[in-house]
């Protein structure tokens, strides 16, 4: 059942066609769908779970050694973000440390990106649904980043981790964040998991672990 629900998200988003930076499908239609699904999850969530949903429109620039070294600048990209944590008193402590999962809803020119990367967007939306009813799993917060600009060499993710623009929440903020800190979640991140796909089939695998992170791959 969970797999079918995740695949339904893939079908709905792929049905919007090619989604490249600047296009209506990528900047409006896909984010609207993801937000709608997250708000539905929030509406059905346990009263012991706090779900915050928002958007971000980052602008910025950076250099990378990819392809021998390139400079990338970007403006007004679209990210959808969601933080899931325990509600009430124990939630504030849990939100001090968070795990980030990242996927992207944009696609390359000429493709609807069902595998890369809507397959992982679908998984993350279903994960949100599962966590919403299981507060005991939320010892620490889980931040879901659905980024709208990966295929142009990662600008949307860069904009998020560098706090390039504030997150505009569409739901009430956590009590301790009210008063100017809404959506400022990057400082709490302790682990980042990038959910990516290459090709259209095959088994799941761990492709790379950065320095200092091998412990996460141990059972």
């Amino acid at each position: 059942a969970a797999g079918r629900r995740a695949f339904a998200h893939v079908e709905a988003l792929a049905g919007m066609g090619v989604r490249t930076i600047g296009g209506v499908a990528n900047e409006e239609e896909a984010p609207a769908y993801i937000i709608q699904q997250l708000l539905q999850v929030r509406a059905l969530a346990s009263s012991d779970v706090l779900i915050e949903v928002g958007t971000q429109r980052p602008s910025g620039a950076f250099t990378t050694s990819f392809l021998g070294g390139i400079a990338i600048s970007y403006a007004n990209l679209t990210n959808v973000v969601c933080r899931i944590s325990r509600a009430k008193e124990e939630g504030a402590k849990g939100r001090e440390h968070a795990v980030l999962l990242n996927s992207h809803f944009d696609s390359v020119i000429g493709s609807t990106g069902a595998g890369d990367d809507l397959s992982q967007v679908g998984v993350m939306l279903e994960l949100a649904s599962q966590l919403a009813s299981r507060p005991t799993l939320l010892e620490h917060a889980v931040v879901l980043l659905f980024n709208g600009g990966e295929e142009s060499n990662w600008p949307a993710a860069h904009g998020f981790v560098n706090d390039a623009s504030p997150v505009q929440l569409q739901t009430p903020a956590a009590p301790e964040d009210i008063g100017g800190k809404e959506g400022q979640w990057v400082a709490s991140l302790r682990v980042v998991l990038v959910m990516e796909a290459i090709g259209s089939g095959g088994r799941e695998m761990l492709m790379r672990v950065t320095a200092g992170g091998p412990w996460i791959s141990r059972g």
Side-chain angles (χ1 to χ4, degrees), residues 17-199:
V18 176
R19 299 169 309 285
T20 54
I21 288 177
V24 172
N26 195 66
E27 307 303 333
E28 298 180 17
E29 295 175 1
Y33 175 87
I34 294 170
I35 291 169
Q36 177 190 46
Q37 297 305 310
L38 292 171
L39 292 178
Q40 289 180 5
V41 167
R42 180 177 180 273
L44 299 174
S46 163
S47 61
D48 293 324
V49 174
L50 174 66
I51 298 180
E52 301 161 271
V53 180
T55 57
Q56 184 196 34
R57 299 300 301 271
S59 300
F62 63 99
T63 58
T64 171
S65 60
F66 185 59
L67 297 177
I70 54 177
I72 297 170
S73 62
Y74 56 93
N76 298 317
L77 302 186
T78 304
N79 288 328
V80 178
V81 294
C82 174
R83 182 169 69 173
I84 305 175
S85 61
R86 290 189 187 184
K88 304 175 183 176
E89 295 80 7
E90 65 271 22
K93 182 175 178 58
R95 285 185 289 274
E96 292 177 0
H97 306 285
V99 175
L100 172 74
L101 276 71
N102 170 81
S103 63
H104 65 92
F105 54 83
D106 65 315
S107 66
V108 296
I109 296 174
S111 172
T112 60
D116 179 13
D117 193 31
L118 294 183
S119 60
Q120 305 310 304
V121 171
V123 167
M124 284 173 48
L125 286 171
E126 178 58 24
L127 175 63
S129 179
Q130 297 293 326
L131 291 175
S133 61
R134 292 173 170 83
T136 56
L137 297 179
L138 295 167
E139 181 177 352
H140 302 293
V142 175
V143 176
L144 305 177
L145 170 60
F146 301 87
N147 88 67
E150 189 270 353
E151 297 295 356
S152 298
N153 299 322
W154 330 289
H158 178 271
F160 177 77
V161 299
N162 284 278
D163 277 332
S165 73
V167 172
Q168 302 295 323
L169 290 178
Q170 301 195 17
T171 56
E176 72 275 9
D177 287 349
I178 295 174
K181 297 182 179 179
E182 293 92 339
Q184 296 180 6
W185 304 334
V186 173
S188 70
L189 301 180
R190 302 294 179 265
V191 175
V192 174
L193 302 176
V194 178
M195 310 283 285
E196 184 58 280
I198 300 175

